[in-house]
Amino acid sequence: MRFRDGQWLVAEGVQVQYAEEVYRITPTASGKGISLLCPTRKILNRGNTLNLATLSIDIEPAFDGVLSVETTHWQGAVRRGPDFDLFPAGRPEVDAKVTKTESGTTLSSGTLSATVSGKPHEFEIAFHPTGGKKPLTTLLNRSVGLAYTPAPSTPMQLADMRNFRHYIFTQTTLAVGESIHGLGERFGPFNKVGQRVELWNADGGTSSDQAYKNVGFWMSSRGYGVFVDTPGRVELEIGSERCCRLQTSVEGQRLRWFIIYGPSPRDILRRYSVLTGAPGSVPSWSFGLWLSTSFTTSYDEETVNSFLAGMRARDIPVEVFHFDCFWLKAFQWCDFEFDRDMFPDPRGQIGRLKAGGLVKKVCVWTNPYLGQASPVFAEAAARGYLLRRRNGDVFQWDLWQTGMGIVDFTNPDARAWFAACLDRLFDTGVDCIKTDFGERIPSEDVQWFDPSVDPERMHNYYAFIYNKLVYEALQRRYGANEAVLFARAATAGCQRFPLTWGGDCESTPEAMAESLRGGLSLGLSGFAFWSVDIGGFEGSPPPWIYKRWVAFGLLCSHSRLHGSNSYRVPWTVDGDDQSEEGCSATLRKWTHLKARLMPYLFSQAQESVRGGLPLSLRAMCIEFPDDPTAWTLDRQFMLGDGLLVAPVFEEDGTVEFYLPRGKWTNFFTGEVKEGPGWFAETHGFGTLPLYVRPNTLLVLGKEGETRTVYDYTSDVEVRAYFASDSASAVLVDAEGKTVGTLRVKDGEIIGKELLSGSSVINVVSS
């Protein structure tokens, strides 16, 4: 929200009051932090202390390299939930220290410090590495404040606050050349400077400023990150109100955020994962190809069988088959019952699919809404399982499903009922769940079962409790590391419940680029695993777009063919072109390549979980933070730390991409290009710019491998690319457990005894 009209004027209808000086510094209640009393005018005499607002700024050490900053106007405001589940794995010990000098007061939390200026009648708080003077960012004059709208003409009007909206805001400085990234799955420009961003989950597709996954965490190119600790609506002006500041504002009496020091993006993400939770692990089978029925298409058991038989006949292995919405009877979504007119024997059908080797796992679509035509609607409403309006009515609308209600997950009995419905699906043979929707959660005229929660804070937070419930139900049935979601809505902490996909994109190259930007931004928000609707969701992709998207989608961490009103099996896209450039051949090539990459991918997945890193899409700046160009790249990504991928967006196969410093090797041809620099290539449908980073040991499955799950240490190929004595590759088994490490020492690879079968070692580039 903008509170000013340019640099000099206040916006019409707004009153703004700023923290003008730090009047007093005292210890916080914990005794480890500092509390700043900041009046909204300079106190030059005793009379200045009357009839004015003050802001309290509490700076607390969180753990090494992390400080929390909470600004409060009226301390008596009720603290309503829900709150983010911070430190889910336990809070680390903190080494905090407060020092005072003539120049100011410094609070240190390990490697990060905040220094409050000691100059009289001044407001300035600098955040900097401990022992260093160069600030990461700073709160300067008129950078912390409160605002009313409409502007009261007298303080007496504020005796009744029902007619006023009250905001708290802070403005951290943006340095020259600084770029800002993350904030969830955002489809616009990769660098957020110059943008206005509202953190409010919405079902808005992939081609606007709305997002399904809003995460109040951003990363700066200057070596720090910020996490805004509220699930409510947050409005950000990122160099868009004042060009040199990033403004964060919330409606209410308090605003808390954490500043997280790096200095590298890896360090920032690791610390962020300690704060909000590390990504959950995913099983090796989930990396295989997922095939969907698509959304509004017509299908029954015969159709499903024909899809899977057709894929097998074309040597395209399908790991997971997904039944989208119409496995349920029309108007009865989501009552967890197969439409018996189309699927008379769901348990038998799923059993036959698996027994026949057509597929290993089955996924079904769900959402947290109940259409009133469903037989379970009346039951859920009567038992208090549905969200209500303030007058006691069940909250209903005709958006999406006729008369639909929303499951109230603040009710423990509703959660238990929902989990029991899932258990019945698991009994049928369902292995994983697509948790769709959860964005359009009303925040006005609603009453949750838990009266302590704030409806506005529940809007974004609903995605967390929804996905957590389903993920934990899967864990109880199948094991801690076997649970897999396909979620659309998310907020901070949802990285703990993998995985997510990019939502409803169009079948265009522009939408593919939008999706790529969304995946990059989400990866910089702490999410390790991400997928996209290959071919685009809306519309029917022409063959060339389908094939370009196949290459992109099979190099994401997870890969799913899914559409809206048209199928995504390849032979329906191009009239069953049998050539090597056809859709079937293209899909086969890339599916097989991903199978070969599994020893590398699954090892990298374990590192991603440990470090809070994106496996794919991994922004280039994570691996090359000292290369200024890396912070600008939004049409390419890293797949793990050793492979660079540049999708092709042109029908003629032309593509431009950037290689950082070093000798990079083309995975397909062995050609070496030396960076830094931009390069142009032209590709058919079976290749794209896939370059191996120098000093890489790349472990691959054997030539011709088509499976996703196998022994990743037997019959493998180890390729060395300009590998020096610092090169290594961690070997894992199909459960993700470490088997050992291959290393280069004195020009030789040691640890070869960990490999079995007919494994080979090839020096590709030296």
Side-chain angles (χ1 to χ4, degrees):
M1 180 173 181
R2 296 189 177 185
F3 300 110
R4 300 196 66 84
D5 178 8
Q7 188 166 345
W8 312 121
L9 302 178
V10 175
E12 183 177 352
V14 177
Q15 182 188 95
V16 182
Q17 302 178 52
Y18 296 99
E20 295 285 2
E21 68 171 76
V22 178
Y23 181 77
R24 184 166 59 224
I25 302 177
T26 57
T28 55
S30 71
K32 296 182 177 180
I34 54 176
S35 182
L36 317 182
L37 178 63
C38 304
T40 53
R41 65 169 171 250
K42 296 186 185 298
I43 307 302
L44 304 177
N45 58 62
R46 288 189 171 183
N48 293 149
T49 63
L50 304 175
N51 297 314
L52 85 163
T54 63
L55 290 158
S56 299
I57 303 176
D58 291 341
I59 309 176
E60 289 269 9
F63 60 99
D64 177 38
V66 182
L67 290 165
S68 74
V69 181
E70 182 171 47
T71 302
T72 307
H73 178 203
W74 287 337
Q75 300 279 3
V78 174
R79 292 181 178 267
R80 304 190 70 191
D83 296 301
F84 287 125
D85 182 17
L86 301 183
F87 303 105
R91 185 167 187 161
E93 293 295 322
V94 59
D95 179 20
K97 182 174 17 176
V98 177
T99 57
K100 295 184 179 181
T101 66
E102 290 184 359
S103 60
T105 300
T106 298
L107 168 64
S108 299
S109 181
T111 56
L112 176 65
S113 295
T115 296
V116 182
S117 173
K119 294 180 181 179
H121 308 300
E122 183 171 274
F123 182 91
E124 180 177 321
I125 307 169
F127 300 94
H128 56 90
T130 300
K133 294 183 179 180
K134 182 178 179 180
L136 301 167
T137 189
T138 306
L139 293 169
L140 294 175
N141 64 304
R142 297 202 158 192
S143 62
V144 177
L146 63 98
Y148 292 104
T149 179
S153 58
T154 168
M156 289 294 293
Q157 289 181 292
L158 301 178
D160 184 354
M161 287 292 294
R162 291 175 296 178
N163 297 320
F164 295 91
R165 307 186 81 168
H166 180 283
Y167 297 87
I168 297 286
F169 64 87
T170 61
Q171 295 177 344
T172 51
T173 54
L174 290 171
V176 176
E178 181 174 359
S179 58
I180 299 296
H181 308 269
L183 294 169
E185 185 185 49
R186 315 217 74 83
F187 306 106
F190 181 49
N191 177 7
K192 305 303 183 287
V193 173
Q195 298 181 46
R196 177 186 182 274
V197 174
E198 182 180 60
L199 302 181
W200 189 252
N201 283 1
D203 175 9
T206 68
S207 196
S208 74
D209 60 353
Q210 294 183 3
Y212 303 100
K213 306 169 189 68
N214 287 270
V215 180
F217 171 74
W218 73 80
M219 181 184 293
S220 165
S221 59
R222 283 179 66 85
Y224 71 94
V226 170
F227 169 58
V228 185
D229 184 24
T230 174
R233 188 193 306 267
V234 180
E235 295 181 279
L236 301 162
E237 298 286 349
I238 309 172
S240 50
E241 178 170 314
R242 289 202 64 183
C243 298
C244 57
R245 294 186 179 181
L246 193 164
Q247 177 176 282
T248 305
S249 64
V250 296
E251 186 174 358
Q253 297 291 335
R254 298 181 183 88
L255 167 59
R256 181 167 81 150
W257 42 262
F258 292 84
I259 181 167
I260 304 169
Y261 177 50
S264 75
R266 280 175 169 262
D267 295 325
I268 297 168
L269 287 171
R270 175 179 55 81
R271 288 182 167 125
Y272 175 71
S273 73
V274 171
L275 185 61
T276 62
S281 296
V282 290
S284 52
W285 55 259
S286 70
F287 287 81
L289 183 63
W290 296 48
L291 174 63
S292 164
T293 59
S294 292
F295 171 32
T296 61
T297 55
S298 179
Y299 57 89
D300 54 15
E301 180 172 358
E302 183 179 354
T303 311
V304 172
N305 289 342
S306 70
F307 284 169
L308 291 170
M311 296 289 271
R312 183 163 65 179
R314 291 163 176 81
D315 194 21
I316 306 171
V318 175
E319 197 74 40
V320 184
F321 189 80
H322 170 69
F323 291 84
D324 214 55
C325 309
F326 280 95
W327 68 276
L328 300 154
K329 189 178 287 292
F331 292 108
Q332 294 186 197
W333 303 348
C334 175
D335 63 3
F336 304 94
E337 296 289 339
F338 275 84
D339 181 351
R340 295 306 176 105
D341 293 334
M342 304 299 286
F343 307 101
D345 179 22
R347 184 197 296 265
Q349 177 184 357
I350 293 173
R352 289 187 289 273
L353 290 176
K354 294 178 179 179
L358 291 174
V359 70
K360 290 182 179 178
K361 304 290 181 179
V362 166
C363 176
V364 296
W365 175 94
T366 65
N367 71 17
Y369 310 143
L370 294 180
Q372 68 180 11
S374 167
V376 300
F377 177 90
E379 171 194 356
R383 293 185 177 183
Y385 297 165
L386 301 179
L387 178 64
R388 294 188 178 275
R389 297 186 184 272
R390 289 177 178 173
N391 66 0
D393 292 348
V394 170
F395 181 93
Q396 292 181 264
W397 56 15
D398 294 327
L399 185 64
W400 182 238
Q401 285 288 284
T402 301
M404 71 166 222
I406 300 171
V407 179
D408 185 345
F409 290 128
T410 71
N411 183 340
D413 291 338
R415 294 198 297 270
W417 170 80
F418 199 87
C421 293
L422 294 171
D423 282 334
R424 291 198 299 273
L425 285 178
F426 304 154
D427 291 341
T428 308
V430 171
D431 305 281
C432 39
I433 300 291
K434 175 180 172 179
T435 50
D436 204 355
F437 286 84
E439 302 95 355
R440 288 176 176 157
I441 305 302
S443 58
E444 297 179 355
D445 189 29
V446 293
Q447 178 60 59
W448 294 88
F449 178 85
D450 180 351
S452 70
V453 302
D454 180 342
E456 185 180 81
R457 294 170 72 91
M458 277 298 300
H459 174 85
N460 286 349
Y461 194 76
Y462 190 88
F464 181 88
I465 54 177
Y466 167 36
N467 288 308
K468 182 175 188 285
L469 187 155
V470 179
Y471 188 73
E472 291 179 346
L474 285 161
Q475 287 183 312
R476 285 192 298 271
R477 174 59 66 97
Y478 296 117
N481 295 326
E482 287 291 312
V484 181
L485 304 181
F486 236 86
R488 190 173 73 174
T491 189
C494 284
Q495 68 269 13
R496 293 161 52 188
F497 321 124
L499 56 103
T500 62
W501 99 96
D504 298 349
C505 48
E506 296 177 315
S507 298
T508 65
E510 293 79 12
M512 187 163 72
E514 292 164 3
S515 297
L516 196 158
R517 294 193 296 269
L520 291 174
S521 293
L522 191 68
L524 284 172
S525 305
F527 286 70
F529 307 109
W530 180 86
S531 185
V532 66
D533 288 345
I534 294 175
F537 177 73
E538 297 287 354
S540 298
W544 78 266
I545 290 178
Y546 178 90
K547 289 181 283 189
R548 296 301 182 196
W549 212 312
V550 161
F552 167 42
L554 266 297
L555 293 175
C556 297
S557 76
H558 289 76
S559 309
R560 183 182 69 163
L561 294 163
H562 181 65
S564 178
N565 57 7
S566 60
Y567 301 126
R568 291 293 179 266
V569 287
W571 57 90
T572 65
V573 177
D574 64 0
D576 202 13
D577 181 349
Q578 300 289 319
S579 74
E580 283 302 302
E581 290 287 285
C583 289
S584 294
T586 299
L587 181 59
R588 179 171 57 250
K589 290 173 186 176
W590 290 102
T591 305
H592 290 189
L593 174 60
K594 191 169 191 182
R596 283 203 75 197
L597 288 171
M598 277 303 296
Y600 166 77
L601 286 177
F602 206 48
S603 176
Q604 289 285 311
Q606 313 317 310
E607 180 192 358
S608 295
V609 168
R610 286 190 296 268
L613 296 166
L615 172 60
S616 173
L617 310 180
R618 182 177 298 183
M620 298 293 295
C621 58
I622 293 177
E623 294 298 327
F624 306 96
D626 297 327
D627 185 336
T629 302
W631 293 90
T632 70
L633 300 172
D634 63 359
R635 299 193 305 276
Q636 62 187 69
F637 56 91
M638 295 295 290
L639 173 55
D641 60 24
L643 294 176
L644 182 151
V645 181
V648 179
F649 300 98
E650 300 292 340
E651 184 173 7
D652 65 4
T654 56
V655 55
E656 291 183 333
F657 59 97
Y658 176 82
L659 296 177
R661 184 176 303 280
K663 294 181 177 180
W664 294 77
T665 307
N666 185 306
F667 177 87
F668 298 105
T669 67
E671 178 189 0
V672 176
K673 286 185 167 65
E674 187 161 1
W678 285 90
F679 300 89
E681 293 179 353
T682 301
H683 285 264
F685 296 112
T687 61
L688 52 60
L690 178 62
Y691 278 81
V692 186
R693 186 178 186 173
N695 202 34
T696 294
L697 287 182
L698 184 63
V699 184
L700 302 169
K702 65 179 181 293
E703 188 73 42
E705 181 62 72
T706 63
R707 298 168 298 166
T708 305
V709 183
Y710 52 93
D711 185 345
Y712 302 141
T713 64
S714 180
D715 300 329
V716 298
E717 178 186 359
V718 181
R719 294 184 182 179
Y721 294 87
F722 296 103
S724 68
D725 281 3
S726 62
S728 64
V730 177
L731 301 173
V732 300
D733 64 16
E735 301 298 318
K737 297 176 182 177
T738 300
V739 175
T741 303
L742 299 176
R743 301 183 186 277
V744 176
K745 183 177 181 180
D746 298 328
E748 296 291 328
I749 295 178
I750 61 174
K752 289 182 282 190
E753 69 278 3
L754 299 169
L755 306 176
S756 62
S758 57
S759 297
V760 296
I761 295 177
N762 290 318
V763 177
V764 179
S765 302
S766 63

